[in-house]
Amino acid sequence: MVSQPQSATALTISSQPHDGAVVLRAHGELDLGSAPVLRERLRQATERPAAPALVVDLAEVSFCDSVGMSELVLALHRSEAEGLRLALSGVHGSLERLLWATGLHNVFDIHPTCDDALRAVTAPRRLERRP
């Protein structure tokens, strides 16, 4: 068993492929000190997508500040530029408050659970008809 020193800003991210999507699961605090970890994983996922959809599961994120939010916004822009569908799941606490306070809850595709997000991003896109 390998032990690693824990810091107040520790963030770990795991990646798991699913049919038609990749899930990045974040665990810990997302702030100035840990944002580079998320930035790198999101950059890898959006620049060389292994699937046409990405779900960022934030259910185990205990804190998020404006720097962490900025990383998610950058990932959204990169995913849109690459034609990649991006969804957030498990949003709660400080992250949820930030999304609502900034109006970004209307910009991101947000789902209560990872399974809900996976169903949404892997479903065929529907063409919207305009009246």
Side-chain angles (χ1 to χ4, degrees):
M1 176 181 200
V2 176
S3 163
Q4 296 180 0
Q6 296 294 316
S7 71
T9 58
L11 180 74
T12 58
I13 299 176
S14 63
S15 177
Q16 183 177 13
H18 285 270
D19 290 334
V22 171
V23 175
L24 292 182
R25 284 194 166 86
H27 185 320
E29 294 187 0
L30 178 51
D31 58 15
L32 177 63
S34 63
V37 173
L38 180 65
R39 178 183 313 127
E40 180 59 22
R41 294 301 296 272
L42 288 169
R43 185 193 61 75
Q44 292 170 357
T46 56
E47 286 184 356
R48 292 170 294 177
L54 174 65
V55 172
V56 181
D57 185 12
L58 302 161
E60 296 298 321
V61 170
S62 57
F63 175 80
C64 181
D65 67 8
S66 60
V67 177
M69 177 62 66
S70 295
E71 294 302 330
L72 293 172
V73 170
L74 289 171
L76 179 63
H77 291 297
R78 282 193 304 265
S79 67
E80 289 173 344
E82 294 293 327
L84 182 68
R85 295 173 80 173
L86 181 132
L88 305 180
S89 68
V91 173
H92 66 281
S94 59
L95 178 56
E96 184 175 31
R97 289 189 296 278
L98 268 174
L99 286 166
W100 279 89
T102 59
L104 290 170
H105 67 284
N106 291 317
V107 176
F108 283 98
D109 184 10
I110 303 171
H111 301 274
T113 70
C114 187
D115 287 340
D116 292 334
L118 282 167
R119 279 190 291 277
V121 298
T122 58
R125 292 185 189 214
R126 294 183 184 187
L127 294 176
E128 292 182 17
R129 290 187 177 183
R130 296 185 180 215

